[in-house]
Amino acid sequence: GIQVEQSPPDLILQEGANSTLRCNFSDSVNNLQWFHQNPWGQLINLFYIPSGTKQNGRLSATTVATERYSLLYISSSQTTDSGVYFCAVGNQAGTALIFGKGTTLSVSS
Amino acid sequence: NAGVTQTPKFQVLKTGQSMTLQCAQDMNHEYMSWYRQDPGMGLRLIHYSVGAGITDQGEVPNGYNVSRSTTEDFPLRLLSAAPSQTSVYFCASSYSRWGANQPQHFGDGTRLSIL
């Protein structure tokens, strides 16, 4: 099956710093999604990005499907950005999302 | 719209007990699914449904049953709870039956402890 690897596993930042999170996947995929799990455990869909680049405020994401990776950029980080960021890809049948193990981000003031 | 609603939020069970985790969505989504989240493992798919009356297994289906009698509801049943089923359970939905290829909407999760 498709393998999804995220790096780094942990990231510690000072407020205001920028960061890049990476997601590699082992096979061609029909879609890729980024999620943020906040400290209360809620999963928020950040981007649905099978290819190309999208931006939403201080966050942006780029997926290069032909090279099997996606990047999530966080600029001017805030303490509210803390949590776990998951990358997930859809299988070919469209019946399942395969999640990476996540990147845990801690932003301190 | 309430989105995806999961109940209960927390539950403690004894080994061997059975229970049903409820999931309801009010967005008329065809695709619904259940995941479990364990420390360091990400989320893993338990069961999914592409419409009323249609369900199938995911990566970790053993010990769980599902049914989909209506578009709105997708309950997850633990038949005989085991400590290995201690986890956080998430329900998700998306618009089309090829749900994994659409933006997924998640409920807030159910934290389940099996003693």
Side-chain angles (χ1 to χ4, degrees), chain A residues 30-31 33 35 37 39-43 45 48 84 86 89-102, chain B residues 31 33 35 37 40-45 48 50 88 90 97-109 111:
Chain A
N30 291 328
N31 86 92
Q33 303 185 37
F35 295 90
Q37 187 169 40
W40 296 270
Q42 296 172 316
L43 279 164
N45 195 313
Y48 171 79
V84 184
F86 288 104
V89 301
N91 64 358
Q92 288 295 325
T95 54
L97 274 182
I98 296 103
F99 281 77
K101 295 184 178 181
Chain B
Y31 179 91
S33 57
Y35 291 84
Q37 182 180 20
M41 297 289 291
L43 278 76
R44 293 180 293 168
L45 182 66
Y48 67 93
V50 297
V88 181
F90 287 96
R97 56 175 41 220
W98 295 279
N101 292 337
Q102 299 289 326
Q104 296 279 302
H105 301 262
F106 279 83
D108 287 346
R111 295 184 179 275

Side-chain angles (χ1 to χ4, degrees), chain B residues 36-95:
Chain B
R36 61 177 288 173
Q37 182 180 20
D38 301 299
M41 297 289 291
L43 278 76
R44 293 180 293 168
L45 182 66
I46 305 172
H47 285 284
Y48 67 93
S49 168
V50 297
I54 306 170
T55 64
D56 206 345
Q57 296 180 350
E59 179 185 356
V60 288
N62 292 342
Y64 307 95
N65 272 1
V66 292
S67 60
R68 184 105 178 261
S69 56
T70 66
T71 299
E72 294 78 19
D73 299 300
F74 190 44
L76 178 72
R77 297 181 185 85
L78 279 70
L79 307 174
S80 178
S84 60
Q85 294 179 304
T86 293
S87 189
V88 181
Y89 292 84
F90 287 96
C91 179
S93 72
S94 62
Y95 179 71

Side-chain angles (χ1 to χ4, degrees), chain A residues 50-69:
Chain A
S51 64
T53 298
K54 290 187 178 180
Q55 182 156 6
N56 184 0
R58 297 180 294 103
L59 274 60
S60 64
T62 295
T63 297
V64 184
T66 54
E67 297 188 20
R68 301 180 184 170
Y69 73 89

